Amino acid sequence: MMIKKTTVDDLEYYIPDAIPPEVQTYGSKLDQLGVGNPGKLGGLILRLERDKHNGKTSVKEQYSRVPLYTQRALYLEEALPSMAYLYIISPSGGILQGDRYRMDITLRNNALAHITTQGATRVYRMEKNFATQIVNVDVGEGCYFEYIPDQIIPYVDSRFYQVANLRVHDSATMLYSEIMTPGRVARGESFAYDICYMKAQAANQDGNMRFVDVAILEPKKRSMKAFGVLENYDTVGSMYVLAPSKYVAELHDKINSALAGYSKDLYAGASILPDNSGVIVRMLGDTANLLRNAVFEVVRVARRTILDAPFSGIRKA
């Protein structure tokens, strides 16, 4: 799992390694606001640590390159007063052709944090080129981290590649979720995008691989309603719960139990990852709200199992 050693001023810093050929095929040159121009590169660096004086998780390092930034940390849980809540905000309103985003998030010193987005990630229509996003996360020893963004909405003719590189210590916990919608359904754009390529991979502190998971959605080449794909559902979600091995069997059983009776409109299940390193959850449903609430249910299970604390939900204006 390679992470580029360039600086935030270099274009290469924002370009994923080994962009898949399925995405590269759309790599035509942009005549206006090409890749690397002002506003086309979004960067975010966060380092969170638990403060030794007040016990709260706080931001020790922060760098933002608009259109990505965060506001100050909030403390919203009475049962977990040390947990920092942060919201990733993009004033551009969405991802455009030629955009290259990168986020680097590090947790140390037994930090507890929950990061989400201000709203859905909208991937706008593209006449040329494509858009990419890199999510690098490093969760250190004894830390607990929830990265729970809102859903991705791919507009008609959009092309999007996201790669998540997760480095999670064997003693730490990380929850990471992705929800993909069919598009702007109300505008008749259901499954009208070109490609959405999602790759997630995780390793432990020694670089030992924990999992690699790839989803390639190309609805113009293959029907999303085909047997073995989405069939009768419109929205798909994946969730990865990386946790100390002693919790994995319990998490697996409790997550499956919680989701089994959650809703008749939800089709979901959890499986144990290789080497007992965590749990992967797949979800299918008709709406993003249904899957988001199911994701919250998994968060509740994880918090109760690992932190012995409740989860009251995500507060958004």
Side-chain angles (χ1 to χ4, degrees), residues 220-249:
K220 295 180 181 178
K221 296 181 179 179
R222 182 184 184 189
S223 172
M224 295 294 101
K225 295 297 187 177
F227 177 77
V229 188
L230 302 187
E231 298 188 22
N232 297 324
Y233 298 96
D234 289 327
T235 306
V236 59
S238 295
M239 193 166 185
Y240 313 95
V241 183
L242 298 170
S245 58
K246 64 181 180 180
Y247 295 115
V248 170

mmCIF file of all heavy atoms in Angstrom, residues 220-249:
data_model
loop_
_atom_site.group_PDB
_atom_site.id
_atom_site.type_symbol
_atom_site.label_atom_id
_atom_site.label_comp_id
_atom_site.label_asym_id
_atom_site.label_seq_id
_atom_site.Cartn_x
_atom_site.Cartn_y
_atom_site.Cartn_z
ATOM 1 N N LYS A 220 -23.595 1.701 -17.821
ATOM 2 C CA LYS A 220 -23.823 1.771 -19.264
ATOM 3 C C LYS A 220 -23.266 0.551 -19.995
ATOM 4 O O LYS A 220 -23.602 0.317 -21.155
ATOM 5 C CB LYS A 220 -23.205 3.055 -19.828
ATOM 6 C CG LYS A 220 -23.867 4.333 -19.321
ATOM 7 C CD LYS A 220 -23.214 5.568 -19.906
ATOM 8 C CE LYS A 220 -23.868 6.830 -19.375
ATOM 9 N NZ LYS A 220 -23.229 8.062 -19.894
ATOM 10 N N LYS A 221 -22.418 -0.197 -19.278
ATOM 11 C CA LYS A 221 -21.840 -1.405 -19.866
ATOM 12 C C LYS A 221 -22.489 -2.674 -19.327
ATOM 13 O O LYS A 221 -22.470 -3.715 -19.995
ATOM 14 C CB LYS A 221 -20.337 -1.452 -19.603
ATOM 15 C CG LYS A 221 -19.564 -0.324 -20.277
ATOM 16 C CD LYS A 221 -18.069 -0.450 -20.005
ATOM 17 C CE LYS A 221 -17.289 0.655 -20.700
ATOM 18 N NZ LYS A 221 -15.828 0.562 -20.431
ATOM 19 N N ARG A 222 -22.999 -2.586 -18.102
ATOM 20 C CA ARG A 222 -23.628 -3.746 -17.488
ATOM 21 C C ARG A 222 -24.778 -3.291 -16.610
ATOM 22 O O ARG A 222 -24.612 -2.414 -15.759
ATOM 23 C CB ARG A 222 -22.614 -4.520 -16.638
ATOM 24 C CG ARG A 222 -23.198 -5.784 -15.998
ATOM 25 C CD ARG A 222 -22.176 -6.461 -15.099
ATOM 26 N NE ARG A 222 -22.698 -7.712 -14.562
ATOM 27 C CZ ARG A 222 -22.096 -8.425 -13.621
ATOM 28 N NH1 ARG A 222 -20.954 -8.009 -13.110
ATOM 29 N NH2 ARG A 222 -22.630 -9.554 -13.189
ATOM 30 N N SER A 223 -25.935 -3.882 -16.811
ATOM 31 C CA SER A 223 -27.119 -3.484 -16.055
ATOM 32 C C SER A 223 -26.912 -3.721 -14.565
ATOM 33 O O SER A 223 -26.520 -4.809 -14.141
ATOM 34 C CB SER A 223 -28.341 -4.265 -16.534
ATOM 35 O OG SER A 223 -29.456 -4.016 -15.686
ATOM 36 N N MET A 224 -27.184 -2.686 -13.769
ATOM 37 C CA MET A 224 -27.092 -2.829 -12.321
ATOM 38 C C MET A 224 -28.229 -3.680 -11.769
ATOM 39 O O MET A 224 -28.185 -4.112 -10.618
ATOM 40 C CB MET A 224 -27.112 -1.447 -11.657
ATOM 41 C CG MET A 224 -25.913 -0.581 -11.973
ATOM 42 S SD MET A 224 -24.334 -1.221 -11.312
ATOM 43 C CE MET A 224 -23.627 -1.977 -12.777
ATOM 44 N N LYS A 225 -29.231 -3.925 -12.586
ATOM 45 C CA LYS A 225 -30.375 -4.727 -12.146
ATOM 46 C C LYS A 225 -30.206 -6.200 -12.504
ATOM 47 O O LYS A 225 -31.115 -7.002 -12.270
ATOM 48 C CB LYS A 225 -31.660 -4.190 -12.789
ATOM 49 C CG LYS A 225 -32.023 -2.768 -12.335
ATOM 50 C CD LYS A 225 -32.313 -2.726 -10.845
ATOM 51 C CE LYS A 225 -32.824 -1.371 -10.411
ATOM 52 N NZ LYS A 225 -33.169 -1.354 -8.972
ATOM 53 N N ALA A 226 -29.065 -6.557 -13.055
ATOM 54 C CA ALA A 226 -28.831 -7.944 -13.454
ATOM 55 C C ALA A 226 -28.710 -8.845 -12.238
ATOM 56 O O ALA A 226 -28.398 -8.407 -11.126
ATOM 57 C CB ALA A 226 -27.568 -8.035 -14.310
ATOM 58 N N PHE A 227 -28.912 -10.123 -12.465
ATOM 59 C CA PHE A 227 -28.783 -11.112 -11.407
ATOM 60 C C PHE A 227 -27.350 -11.118 -10.867
ATOM 61 O O PHE A 227 -26.384 -11.100 -11.618
ATOM 62 C CB PHE A 227 -29.123 -12.509 -11.940
ATOM 63 C CG PHE A 227 -28.941 -13.608 -10.935
ATOM 64 C CD1 PHE A 227 -29.871 -13.815 -9.934
ATOM 65 C CD2 PHE A 227 -27.819 -14.426 -10.983
ATOM 66 C CE1 PHE A 227 -29.704 -14.817 -8.996
ATOM 67 C CE2 PHE A 227 -27.635 -15.447 -10.057
ATOM 68 C CZ PHE A 227 -28.582 -15.634 -9.061
ATOM 69 N N GLY A 228 -27.227 -11.084 -9.558
ATOM 70 C CA GLY A 228 -25.910 -11.084 -8.952
ATOM 71 C C GLY A 228 -25.292 -9.710 -8.801
ATOM 72 O O GLY A 228 -24.188 -9.591 -8.269
ATOM 73 N N VAL A 229 -25.981 -8.659 -9.283
ATOM 74 C CA VAL A 229 -25.480 -7.292 -9.095
ATOM 75 C C VAL A 229 -26.362 -6.644 -8.031
ATOM 76 O O VAL A 229 -26.315 -7.012 -6.868
ATOM 77 C CB VAL A 229 -25.461 -6.511 -10.423
ATOM 78 C CG1 VAL A 229 -24.747 -5.171 -10.255
ATOM 79 C CG2 VAL A 229 -24.741 -7.318 -11.496
ATOM 80 N N LEU A 230 -27.218 -5.693 -8.394
ATOM 81 C CA LEU A 230 -28.127 -5.083 -7.415
ATOM 82 C C LEU A 230 -29.532 -5.666 -7.477
ATOM 83 O O LEU A 230 -30.308 -5.508 -6.545
ATOM 84 C CB LEU A 230 -28.190 -3.561 -7.621
ATOM 85 C CG LEU A 230 -26.872 -2.799 -7.540
ATOM 86 C CD1 LEU A 230 -27.131 -1.299 -7.588
ATOM 87 C CD2 LEU A 230 -26.113 -3.154 -6.274
ATOM 88 N N GLU A 231 -29.847 -6.291 -8.617
ATOM 89 C CA GLU A 231 -31.162 -6.897 -8.826
ATOM 90 C C GLU A 231 -32.282 -5.889 -8.550
ATOM 91 O O GLU A 231 -32.381 -4.894 -9.238
ATOM 92 C CB GLU A 231 -31.285 -8.167 -7.991
ATOM 93 C CG GLU A 231 -30.251 -9.234 -8.385
ATOM 94 C CD GLU A 231 -30.470 -10.560 -7.699
ATOM 95 O OE1 GLU A 231 -31.595 -10.838 -7.243
ATOM 96 O OE2 GLU A 231 -29.492 -11.335 -7.604
ATOM 97 N N ASN A 232 -33.089 -6.094 -7.513
ATOM 98 C CA ASN A 232 -34.260 -5.243 -7.291
ATOM 99 C C ASN A 232 -33.971 -4.005 -6.453
ATOM 100 O O ASN A 232 -34.888 -3.247 -6.122
ATOM 101 C CB ASN A 232 -35.374 -6.056 -6.615
ATOM 102 C CG ASN A 232 -35.879 -7.195 -7.483
ATOM 103 O OD1 ASN A 232 -35.956 -7.055 -8.710
ATOM 104 N ND2 ASN A 232 -36.194 -8.316 -6.867
ATOM 105 N N TYR A 233 -32.704 -3.795 -6.100
ATOM 106 C CA TYR A 233 -32.356 -2.669 -5.231
ATOM 107 C C TYR A 233 -31.672 -1.563 -6.023
ATOM 108 O O TYR A 233 -31.155 -1.780 -7.113
ATOM 109 C CB TYR A 233 -31.449 -3.152 -4.106
ATOM 110 C CG TYR A 233 -32.099 -4.188 -3.209
ATOM 111 C CD1 TYR A 233 -31.896 -5.554 -3.427
ATOM 112 C CD2 TYR A 233 -32.931 -3.811 -2.161
ATOM 113 C CE1 TYR A 233 -32.490 -6.503 -2.625
ATOM 114 C CE2 TYR A 233 -33.531 -4.761 -1.339
ATOM 115 C CZ TYR A 233 -33.305 -6.104 -1.580
ATOM 116 O OH TYR A 233 -33.906 -7.048 -0.786
ATOM 117 N N ASP A 234 -31.657 -0.358 -5.435
ATOM 118 C CA ASP A 234 -31.068 0.797 -6.101
ATOM 119 C C ASP A 234 -29.808 1.321 -5.424
ATOM 120 O O ASP A 234 -28.957 1.927 -6.073
ATOM 121 C CB ASP A 234 -32.083 1.948 -6.163
ATOM 122 C CG ASP A 234 -33.218 1.682 -7.141
ATOM 123 O OD1 ASP A 234 -32.959 1.020 -8.170
ATOM 124 O OD2 ASP A 234 -34.347 2.124 -6.890
ATOM 125 N N THR A 235 -29.699 1.135 -4.131
ATOM 126 C CA THR A 235 -28.620 1.743 -3.355
ATOM 127 C C THR A 235 -27.787 0.657 -2.695
ATOM 128 O O THR A 235 -28.338 -0.308 -2.148
ATOM 129 C CB THR A 235 -29.196 2.690 -2.284
ATOM 130 O OG1 THR A 235 -30.067 3.633 -2.917
ATOM 131 C CG2 THR A 235 -28.086 3.447 -1.574
ATOM 132 N N VAL A 236 -26.467 0.813 -2.751
ATOM 133 C CA VAL A 236 -25.563 -0.208 -2.210
ATOM 134 C C VAL A 236 -24.612 0.438 -1.213
ATOM 135 O O VAL A 236 -24.157 1.572 -1.392
ATOM 136 C CB VAL A 236 -24.774 -0.908 -3.341
ATOM 137 C CG1 VAL A 236 -23.953 0.086 -4.145
ATOM 138 C CG2 VAL A 236 -23.875 -1.998 -2.781
ATOM 139 N N GLY A 237 -24.336 -0.273 -0.147
ATOM 140 C CA GLY A 237 -23.425 0.232 0.867
ATOM 141 C C GLY A 237 -22.445 -0.830 1.318
ATOM 142 O O GLY A 237 -22.753 -2.027 1.306
ATOM 143 N N SER A 238 -21.257 -0.386 1.691
ATOM 144 C CA SER A 238 -20.248 -1.262 2.274
ATOM 145 C C SER A 238 -19.736 -0.617 3.548
ATOM 146 O O SER A 238 -19.602 0.611 3.633
ATOM 147 C CB SER A 238 -19.075 -1.491 1.319
ATOM 148 O OG SER A 238 -19.482 -2.185 0.162
ATOM 149 N N MET A 239 -19.440 -1.453 4.520
ATOM 150 C CA MET A 239 -18.908 -0.956 5.779
ATOM 151 C C MET A 239 -17.838 -1.918 6.263
ATOM 152 O O MET A 239 -18.004 -3.136 6.183
ATOM 153 C CB MET A 239 -20.023 -0.819 6.806
ATOM 154 C CG MET A 239 -19.641 -0.020 8.033
ATOM 155 S SD MET A 239 -21.091 0.447 8.993
ATOM 156 C CE MET A 239 -20.312 1.481 10.241
ATOM 157 N N TYR A 240 -16.749 -1.343 6.756
ATOM 158 C CA TYR A 240 -15.633 -2.142 7.244
ATOM 159 C C TYR A 240 -15.410 -1.792 8.710
ATOM 160 O O TYR A 240 -15.242 -0.617 9.063
ATOM 161 C CB TYR A 240 -14.372 -1.855 6.427
ATOM 162 C CG TYR A 240 -14.612 -1.873 4.932
ATOM 163 C CD1 TYR A 240 -14.882 -0.692 4.239
ATOM 164 C CD2 TYR A 240 -14.601 -3.065 4.219
ATOM 165 C CE1 TYR A 240 -15.126 -0.702 2.877
ATOM 166 C CE2 TYR A 240 -14.840 -3.081 2.848
ATOM 167 C CZ TYR A 240 -15.109 -1.899 2.187
ATOM 168 O OH TYR A 240 -15.357 -1.913 0.838
ATOM 169 N N VAL A 241 -15.416 -2.806 9.546
ATOM 170 C CA VAL A 241 -15.183 -2.623 10.971
ATOM 171 C C VAL A 241 -13.887 -3.352 11.321
ATOM 172 O O VAL A 241 -13.866 -4.580 11.451
ATOM 173 C CB VAL A 241 -16.354 -3.166 11.812
ATOM 174 C CG1 VAL A 241 -16.112 -2.894 13.295
ATOM 175 C CG2 VAL A 241 -17.677 -2.545 11.366
ATOM 176 N N LEU A 242 -12.811 -2.606 11.420
ATOM 177 C CA LEU A 242 -11.504 -3.171 11.776
ATOM 178 C C LEU A 242 -11.321 -3.014 13.279
ATOM 179 O O LEU A 242 -11.375 -1.895 13.804
ATOM 180 C CB LEU A 242 -10.400 -2.450 11.018
ATOM 181 C CG LEU A 242 -10.483 -2.579 9.487
ATOM 182 C CD1 LEU A 242 -9.497 -1.638 8.817
ATOM 183 C CD2 LEU A 242 -10.239 -4.001 9.055
ATOM 184 N N ALA A 243 -11.109 -4.127 13.967
ATOM 185 C CA ALA A 243 -11.101 -4.096 15.425
ATOM 186 C C ALA A 243 -10.153 -5.153 15.965
ATOM 187 O O ALA A 243 -9.780 -6.090 15.249
ATOM 188 C CB ALA A 243 -12.514 -4.340 15.959
ATOM 189 N N PRO A 244 -9.750 -5.031 17.228
ATOM 190 C CA PRO A 244 -8.933 -6.084 17.839
ATOM 191 C C PRO A 244 -9.621 -7.435 17.716
ATOM 192 O O PRO A 244 -10.844 -7.540 17.836
ATOM 193 C CB PRO A 244 -8.838 -5.625 19.303
ATOM 194 C CG PRO A 244 -8.978 -4.130 19.245
ATOM 195 C CD PRO A 244 -9.957 -3.876 18.139
ATOM 196 N N SER A 245 -8.831 -8.467 17.475
ATOM 197 C CA SER A 245 -9.390 -9.784 17.161
ATOM 198 C C SER A 245 -10.321 -10.319 18.240
ATOM 199 O O SER A 245 -11.246 -11.075 17.945
ATOM 200 C CB SER A 245 -8.255 -10.778 16.898
ATOM 201 O OG SER A 245 -7.395 -10.865 18.021
ATOM 202 N N LYS A 246 -10.108 -9.935 19.492
ATOM 203 C CA LYS A 246 -10.936 -10.457 20.577
ATOM 204 C C LYS A 246 -12.397 -10.016 20.471
ATOM 205 O O LYS A 246 -13.278 -10.630 21.078
ATOM 206 C CB LYS A 246 -10.370 -10.046 21.929
ATOM 207 C CG LYS A 246 -10.382 -8.549 22.190
ATOM 208 C CD LYS A 246 -9.774 -8.222 23.555
ATOM 209 C CE LYS A 246 -9.778 -6.724 23.820
ATOM 210 N NZ LYS A 246 -9.182 -6.410 25.157
ATOM 211 N N TYR A 247 -12.665 -8.963 19.692
ATOM 212 C CA TYR A 247 -14.031 -8.465 19.545
ATOM 213 C C TYR A 247 -14.723 -8.966 18.281
ATOM 214 O O TYR A 247 -15.938 -8.786 18.127
ATOM 215 C CB TYR A 247 -14.039 -6.927 19.497
ATOM 216 C CG TYR A 247 -13.591 -6.240 20.753
ATOM 217 C CD1 TYR A 247 -12.431 -5.463 20.759
ATOM 218 C CD2 TYR A 247 -14.310 -6.343 21.937
ATOM 219 C CE1 TYR A 247 -12.007 -4.804 21.905
ATOM 220 C CE2 TYR A 247 -13.898 -5.691 23.092
ATOM 221 C CZ TYR A 247 -12.750 -4.931 23.071
ATOM 222 O OH TYR A 247 -12.326 -4.284 24.202
ATOM 223 N N VAL A 248 -13.970 -9.528 17.346
ATOM 224 C CA VAL A 248 -14.496 -9.760 16.001
ATOM 225 C C VAL A 248 -15.692 -10.705 15.981
ATOM 226 O O VAL A 248 -16.723 -10.418 15.357
ATOM 227 C CB VAL A 248 -13.370 -10.265 15.072
ATOM 228 C CG1 VAL A 248 -13.949 -10.743 13.737
ATOM 229 C CG2 VAL A 248 -12.354 -9.157 14.832
ATOM 230 N N ALA A 249 -15.607 -11.843 16.625
ATOM 231 C CA ALA A 249 -16.722 -12.799 16.612
ATOM 232 C C ALA A 249 -17.974 -12.188 17.216
ATOM 233 O O ALA A 249 -19.091 -12.351 16.682
ATOM 234 C CB ALA A 249 -16.325 -14.066 17.366
#
